[in-house]
Amino acid sequence: MKVTTTVLETRQLVRQWKKEGKSIGLVPTMGFLHEGHASLIARARKENDIVVVSDFVNPTQFGPNEDLEAYPRDFERDSALCESLGADLIFHPEPEEMYHDPCAFVSIDTLSETLCGKTRPIHFKGVCTVVSKLFHIAAPDRAYFGQKDAQQLAIIKKMVLDLNFDVEVVGCPIVREEDGLAKSSRNTYLSAEERKAALCLSKAVKKGQELIQAGCSAEDVLAPMRAIIEAEPLSKIDYVSMVDALTMQPVEKVEKDVLVAMAVYIGKTRLIDNFSYEV
Ligand code: PAF
């Protein structure tokens, strides 16, 4: 497995692979890899000749009071995991390699204004910008993203459609701990007590799935979900919402495919979870 830190080296390798007629699967990550990322890499391995993993904590998607500095990092461990999963290349640039006093950004309207976009107003602009850059650098045929970040996935799909990127965006299922907690690099911030409290998210997801299957309208799904979370003293709801799966706009009735998504603070840690429902 190769490791690159510059755009130039990465492009040279990618050009050579393309010349040889090889297909490329890209797994964009911010490192500190867990089983969720491993599932994306494994899927990319199955579907492509070459697997590129990017490992970059992207500063432009963090707001001023967010956890950019604290975000967990362990490149040695990431690199060993990627190698064991059969990745061909990890691209691990420094921030200075990716950003030189930038003036050009990619942002997307409407879809990025609801859910996480309300609390994190610059987040999706940073995500779309770095993902566009990675698409230009690694020129993937397919790119793999987790459904845990369902709004991010919807936004990237729309960006690819609107800006004519020649890449297939593949969404992969949420990977959970045995007790239901969705895997996340941020779970490492939780104390033992908070780790237990964090189960209120997946419990609320389970309840919401039952209610939506029983034919309930949005508020009748969301109110009992909120009640489960509010019963946990260490939790504070950022949002629990039902939105149209494509536009990310709130809905009152389940008439089209929907996303039911939540962001909840457990202590100081902001966790997200969701489920989709197809009509
Ligand atoms: O989902 C993430 O880890 C990040 O938002 C991504 C897509 C790697 C962009 O930095």
Side-chain angles (χ1 to χ4, degrees):
M1 187 185 71
K2 297 193 183 318
V3 179
T4 54
T5 56
T6 68
V7 173
L8 185 65
E9 296 168 275
T10 311
R11 280 218 165 110
Q12 282 167 346
L13 285 169
V14 166
R15 273 199 197 117
Q16 185 55 36
W17 284 322
K18 292 253 158 188
K19 238 193 216 165
E20 292 165 11
K22 292 182 169 154
S23 63
I24 296 182
L26 171 68
V27 183
T29 81
M30 296 210 300
F32 211 72
L33 305 179
H34 50 66
E35 286 90 334
H37 298 111
S39 75
L40 306 181
I41 298 170
R43 173 99 182 253
R45 180 65 287 161
K46 267 197 204 141
E47 298 179 352
N48 302 277
D49 299 319
I50 296 291
V51 175
V52 177
V53 179
S54 63
D55 187 315
F56 176 60
V57 182
N58 173 39
T60 63
Q61 69 189 73
F62 289 79
N65 299 316
E66 293 183 354
D67 58 343
L68 173 61
E69 297 309 323
Y71 197 84
R73 293 157 167 92
D74 188 344
F75 184 67
E76 292 311 308
R77 198 172 62 97
D78 291 349
S79 153
L81 180 71
C82 287
E83 178 130 47
S84 75
L85 291 166
D88 298 281
L89 165 67
I90 304 194
F91 174 46
H92 181 51
E94 291 295 328
E96 299 72 36
E97 176 66 14
M98 290 296 275
Y99 294 108
H100 312 269
D101 199 10
C103 296
F105 295 91
V106 181
S107 62
I108 175 157
D109 296 343
T110 327
L111 282 83
S112 60
E113 287 153 18
T114 56
L115 308 178
C116 288
K118 271 196 180 164
T119 324
R120 308 186 71 193
I122 62 152
H123 176 66
F124 291 116
K125 181 176 164 191
V127 170
C128 287
T129 301
V130 81
V131 170
S132 301
K133 287 162 78 70
L134 292 168
F135 285 176
H136 289 309
I137 295 163
D141 297 278
R142 296 178 196 84
Y144 296 81
F145 297 88
Q147 270 156 5
K148 185 171 81 70
D149 296 293
Q151 186 178 17
Q152 167 174 283
L153 178 60
I155 285 175
I156 290 169
K157 282 187 175 165
K158 183 74 173 123
M159 177 187 86
V160 161
L161 187 73
D162 286 1
L163 299 183
N164 304 96
F165 279 99
D166 192 12
V167 53
E168 181 191 341
V169 176
V170 183
C172 301
I174 298 178
V175 178
R176 295 181 181 278
E177 304 283 354
E178 252 174 45
D179 61 6
L181 180 67
K183 301 255 183 192
S184 163
S185 306
R186 290 190 168 98
N187 290 349
T188 52
Y189 297 153
L190 301 170
S191 68
E193 198 191 353
E194 289 169 344
R195 172 66 183 75
K196 274 190 208 146
L199 286 181
C200 66
L201 281 91
S202 52
K203 283 184 190 152
V205 162
K206 212 161 161 237
K207 185 74 187 168
Q209 284 169 326
E210 283 164 22
L211 292 168
I212 211 166
Q213 267 151 22
C216 292
S217 65
E219 217 26 57
D220 292 341
V221 172
L222 299 175
M225 290 176 70
R226 289 191 191 110
I228 290 174
I229 298 166
E230 279 160 359
E232 172 47 63
L234 294 181
S235 76
K236 187 168 153 275
I237 292 178
D238 179 357
Y239 66 81
V240 179
S241 306
M242 186 185 290
V243 294
D244 179 292
L246 289 179
T247 65
M248 300 287 113
Q249 299 310 301
V251 294
E252 282 172 15
K253 287 187 186 151
V254 187
E255 289 165 339
K256 291 186 188 161
D257 295 352
V258 294
L259 169 71
V260 179
M262 67 183 81
V264 176
Y265 290 93
I266 301 293
K268 287 197 172 125
T269 306
R270 187 174 177 279
L271 298 177
I272 56 174
D273 203 343
N274 70 76
F275 66 93
S276 299
Y277 183 77
E278 290 175 16
V279 293

